[in-house]
Amino acid sequence: MEDEFFGEKSFQHYCAEFIKHSQQIGDGWEWKTAKDCSDGYMCKTQFQIKNGTTTSHRGTPASVHTCLPTEENLELTVDDSEVMESAAASQVIKYEYHVVYSCSYQVPVLYFRASFLDGRPLALKDIWEGVHECYKTRLLQGPWDTITQQEHPILGQPFFVLHPCKTNEFMTAVLKNPQKINRSPAGPEAAA
Amino acid sequence: MTDDKDVLRDVWFGRIPTCFTLYQDEITEREAEPYYLLLPRVSYLTLVTDKVKKHFQKAMRQEDVSEIWFEYEGTPLKWHYPIGLLFDLLASSSALPWNITVHFKSFPEKDLLHCPSKDAVEAHFMSCMKEADALKHKSQVINEMQKKDHKQLWMGLQNDRFDQFWAINRKLMEYPPEENGFRYIPFRIYQTTTERPFIQKLFRPVAADGQLHTLGDLLKEVCPSAVTAEDGEKKNQVMIHGIEPMLETPLQWLSEHLSYPDNFLHISIVPQSTD
């Protein structure tokens, strides 16, 4: 049974390397072991605020970027002068990214979900609308093949998934356009 | 002697008598009677409950109706699991009919996937079929098929057409003559006692020495706690399509004959029934 498990062992090895590097640059990725201890996944939590500032879960502010999808999705008509503390809280979006190994496809798969601080989740429509311009055309051609809602294989909860067939395609685009992608760092492409 | 092909028909045409009752807190304009329906074991809830939805919506105001969802004894039912799996896992020890509660509000976002249309069911179904073939044939058979073949698989399921479905699905059940079975067996093992929704691992149907692996071999390898009897007493039932296959059954045979239309063996481990 050697060659089967080589794939998953490799994955865990590379995750350990990835996380070590992430810790060195303060990027927030961690390893989580499944409750029954047989496997696990990498995860990272990130917050995105309405006025465009992004922070990692440890509260270290990153540089200010314009977050393209936020205003449109949240349908805000708020004057900056009218923004109160409580209103600001409902405009913070929490993104969770999980990298889980698929033994069927022998590739890592990106699972993610987004919610407001009060726990209200973002809908698939909001996620599709939040996708960076680079991919919008491709996404609209086959939305159901690209980002779909699925059950997390370890936690059993609804997450959005970047279809494993598309991992290679998206990775190629990301590697070709690093500057464009970095403009909206909280989107799923940034995690990929 | 029953032909193996008859097993395919028996599996496809399995039904569960179900009684749908509207949740008592839903706001109704008139009395909503319970609705009875025979549910196909191999299909999905949101695919076969249009009549249920229409029946209850007739008793409600349009504005009180949002996305339908189903629940059994407090547990939201995952529409993306085949109906037979849900029943075996959650209700097989209870008396028939299966009593399901219908909801139109307070969708449980943390537990259930949304099902905005039949397209979502089709996408999910095809996604499972593709994953099964990735395991069985490195995706070669399903990728060689034309789009119309994929459509035929879906339409066969949606319209309950056994012949239409199997005309294409039989290709997914073949393997090279020099092999003794598929590359890996597509299976998922479910238990209500774990947080993890299911166990899925790579498992070959044939051992290195050429012996066919059995259902018992699979369980011993991936889920040993579920079947080993410490004191000699059988703790659990291993159920597929409402029956307990013998643990000596070759896994390759089970995969070819007792898979669901998505080509996965969905196996339930439930506590031994007392009656």
Side-chain angles (χ1 to χ4, degrees):
Chain A
M1 297 281 240
E2 290 286 311
D3 63 306
E4 287 88 308
F5 299 121
F6 179 67
E8 176 131 27
K9 281 208 180 99
S10 277
F11 167 72
Q12 294 188 358
H13 168 77
Y14 289 123
C15 285
E17 298 281 304
F18 185 92
I19 286 165
K20 231 192 305 180
H21 179 70
S22 168
Q23 284 164 347
Q24 284 164 2
I25 63 172
D27 196 38
W29 285 93
E30 301 178 314
W31 180 260
K32 288 259 159 78
T33 313
K35 279 219 173 108
D36 52 16
C37 290
S38 59
D39 57 13
Y41 54 94
M42 285 205 297
C43 78
K44 173 176 170 170
T45 304
Q46 192 166 320
F47 296 90
Q48 176 184 328
I49 306 171
K50 180 239 167 188
N51 67 2
T53 312
T54 62
T55 64
S56 72
H57 75 293
R58 291 210 207 100
T60 339
S63 43
V64 178
H65 301 274
T66 318
C67 293
L68 304 166
T70 319
E71 275 94 346
E72 298 149 36
N73 287 348
L74 302 181
E75 296 170 41
L76 296 163
T77 52
V78 181
D79 245 357
D80 273 347
S81 59
E82 289 174 1
V83 173
M84 310 293 270
E85 286 297 338
S86 51
S90 68
Q91 294 147 23
V92 174
I93 301 175
K94 172 183 165 192
Y95 283 89
E96 277 174 78
Y97 301 103
H98 292 201
V99 178
V100 188
Y101 184 73
S102 159
C103 60
S104 305
Y105 292 107
Q106 308 207 296
V107 289
V109 181
L110 180 66
Y111 288 77
F112 61 95
R113 62 182 173 187
S115 58
F116 298 100
L117 284 186
D118 58 9
R120 270 179 306 133
L122 260 68
L124 183 55
K125 189 174 78 68
D126 301 322
I127 301 289
W128 281 350
E129 279 165 16
V131 165
H132 200 283
E133 288 307 315
C134 297
Y135 313 114
K136 251 196 175 123
T137 325
R138 177 64 191 86
L139 177 65
L140 293 171
Q141 279 167 1
W144 294 110
D145 299 328
T146 317
I147 296 180
T148 54
Q149 199 188 28
Q150 280 186 38
E151 181 182 51
H152 190 292
I154 298 175
L155 300 179
Q157 293 168 17
F159 271 72
F160 296 110
V161 185
L162 192 59
H163 200 281
C165 295
K166 300 294 181 290
T167 302
N168 187 50
E169 202 178 308
F170 273 83
M171 285 311 295
T172 315
V174 167
L175 293 168
K176 280 206 187 119
N177 299 295
Q179 303 102 336
K180 279 194 207 158
I181 307 313
N182 283 337
R183 277 200 211 112
S184 62
E189 314 89 30
Chain B
M1 180 81 174
T2 316
D3 197 36
D4 277 359
K5 294 270 188 304
D6 292 339
V7 174
L8 301 181
R9 280 190 180 271
D10 288 342
V11 166
W12 181 271
F13 291 108
R15 296 288 187 263
I16 297 170
T18 307
C19 173
F20 290 92
T21 306
L22 187 65
Y23 181 56
Q24 60 198 19
D25 288 359
E26 299 286 335
I27 302 159
T28 52
E29 295 199 304
R30 55 193 129 267
E31 176 96 36
E33 295 280 313
Y35 190 89
Y36 291 82
L37 193 59
L38 284 174
L39 296 180
R41 274 181 162 277
V42 301
S43 191
Y44 301 91
L45 278 171
T46 46
L47 200 55
V48 298
T49 50
D50 282 343
K51 291 198 172 128
V52 177
K53 192 160 69 157
K54 285 201 175 80
H55 168 81
F56 289 113
Q57 283 179 338
K58 275 205 295 248
M60 299 171 68
R61 289 179 314 176
Q62 179 76 319
E63 57 263 38
D64 295 325
V65 172
S66 101
E67 187 172 353
I68 194 172
W69 58 279
F70 304 98
E71 161 248 307
Y72 173 69
E73 295 195 340
T75 304
L77 296 178
K78 299 182 180 185
W79 66 261
H80 67 287
Y81 284 8
I83 291 166
L85 167 63
L86 290 169
F87 179 80
D88 289 344
L89 193 61
L90 303 172
S92 51
S93 56
S94 303
L96 295 171
W98 187 15
N99 287 301
I100 293 182
T101 308
V102 182
H103 292 258
F104 286 100
K105 53 180 184 22
S106 307
F107 191 89
E109 303 280 351
K110 293 231 157 66
D111 301 300
L112 297 184
L113 304 183
H114 282 281
C115 190
S117 66
K118 297 273 190 310
D119 289 344
V121 189
E122 181 178 2
H124 168 69
F125 176 69
M126 291 312 302
S127 169
C128 290
M129 291 209 84
K130 288 181 183 171
E131 185 176 349
D133 205 54
L135 290 165
K136 290 202 275 186
H137 305 115
K138 293 202 228 184
S139 303
Q140 279 159 7
V141 178
I142 201 144
N143 284 347
E144 255 168 31
M145 289 179 180
Q146 297 176 337
K147 261 213 148 67
K148 69 175 174 72
D149 292 334
H150 292 178
K151 260 302 175 189
Q152 188 168 331
L153 289 167
W154 167 246
M155 298 304 289
L157 177 70
Q158 190 181 26
N159 301 326
D160 193 23
R161 300 278 311 277
F162 175 86
D163 292 317
Q164 185 181 33
F165 178 81
W166 274 97
I168 309 295
N169 199 55
R170 63 179 181 79
K171 298 187 217 171
L172 295 166
M173 293 301 181
E174 291 169 350
Y175 49 87
E178 59 272 19
E179 311 289 340
N180 278 326
F182 306 134
R183 182 163 194 249
Y184 298 111
I185 298 291
F187 73 89
R188 286 185 179 161
I189 298 176
Y190 304 80
Q191 276 179 280
T192 50
T193 51
T194 54
E195 181 189 77
R196 181 187 291 264
F198 53 78
I199 297 169
Q200 180 180 346
K201 295 207 167 124
L202 294 179
F203 194 85
R204 291 198 191 275
V206 190
D209 62 2
Q211 292 285 334
L212 290 174
H213 278 137
T214 64
L215 177 59
D217 292 333
L218 174 70
L219 294 167
K220 228 187 311 176
E221 176 72 28
V222 308
C223 197
S225 56
V227 280
T228 33
E230 302 130 355
D231 50 0
E233 224 178 282
K234 187 161 152 276
K235 299 185 290 175
N236 294 310
Q237 289 180 292
V238 179
M239 199 175 283
I240 316 177
H241 296 295
I243 59 158
E244 283 190 83
M246 289 169 63
L247 297 181
E248 293 84 1
T249 315
L251 201 57
Q252 177 64 30
W253 187 91
L254 285 173
S255 184
E256 289 175 45
H257 296 87
L258 256 65
S259 287
Y260 280 75
D262 64 4
N263 281 227
F264 268 85
L265 278 170
H266 296 284
I267 302 168
S268 301
I269 313 271
V270 292
Q272 181 67 45
S273 176
T274 46
D275 50 41

